[in-house]
Amino acid sequence: TEPAPFKVSIVEPKVPLVHNGSMNLKVVAERLNGFKGAITIYPIYNPPGVGSAGGATIADGQTETVLPLNANGGAPVRKWKYVVWGVATVGNGPVWVSSQLATVEIAPPMMAFHLDRAATEQGKATTMYGKVQVATPWAGPAKVTLVGLPPKVTAPVIEITKDSKELAFPL
């Protein structure tokens, strides 16, 4: 047989996938002999408590994509081997290739936030308060961002330390 005109590989994440969290797993393609076609990426197996997108596409002429992963609160804490396969039409049919086995670590979150409800009149400013619960201390400050806010509502990035107990986001 002839070699496949492309290879796919997973870029191992430098940080763990935490319980009730998500990450984008980067997958890159090495295109050989001028191959430019689209490559569809599929996960072969998800560890217990981990979900993923059913697939992702590396577009014509592109070299990378991301595969969204998430972990529920009961995912076993450990390092898992993870693999994807890529398929592309080459000539008259599909060609399938596998990535290497990459390590994806599942871990408990380093901290938890318990935010109080905030209310205000439309167009008026308010502050959202909350408490910080540190599970794993770290060195230096950490930046915290609120996401999922309503349209036209913004919150600044705030810094906390391992000793922080409370949060206050001016909205």
Side-chain angles (χ1 to χ4, degrees):
T1 65
E2 296 179 23
F6 63 94
K7 298 176 183 179
V8 296
S9 59
I10 297 171
V11 177
E12 285 196 10
K14 296 185 182 342
V15 296
L17 174 59
V18 298
H19 287 154
N20 300 315
S22 62
M23 74 167 24
N24 287 326
L25 187 66
K26 186 174 177 180
V27 180
V28 297
E30 180 184 345
R31 296 175 179 275
L32 309 169
N33 302 325
F35 179 74
K36 296 187 187 311
I39 304 167
T40 305
I41 304 298
Y42 298 102
I44 293 179
Y45 166 80
N46 285 325
V50 174
S52 70
T57 300
I58 301 174
D60 291 358
Q62 299 298 309
T63 58
E64 62 185 54
T65 190
V66 294
L67 185 68
L69 300 178
N70 60 63
N72 68 31
V77 173
R78 62 174 269 200
K79 293 181 179 182
W80 295 89
K81 292 298 182 185
Y82 200 82
V83 65
V84 298
W85 57 15
V87 62
T89 301
V90 178
N92 294 328
V95 171
W96 296 81
V97 299
S98 173
S99 72
Q100 86 285 14
L101 287 170
T103 301
V104 174
E105 181 180 3
I106 310 301
M110 294 180 69
M111 65 189 89
F113 300 105
H114 303 282
L115 298 174
D116 299 332
R117 287 185 186 214
T120 188
E121 292 180 35
Q122 189 171 359
K124 302 254 179 163
T126 190
T127 301
M128 181 175 271
Y129 296 97
K131 300 206 180 308
V132 179
Q133 182 180 13
V134 175
T136 306
W138 66 92
K143 294 181 180 182
V144 180
T145 304
L146 279 182
V147 295
L149 295 170
K152 299 183 181 180
V153 176
T154 60
V157 175
I158 62 172
E159 283 194 0
I160 64 170
T161 67
K162 64 181 180 193
D163 300 319
S164 297
K165 302 289 183 215
E166 296 186 358
L167 299 167
F169 286 98
L171 304 175

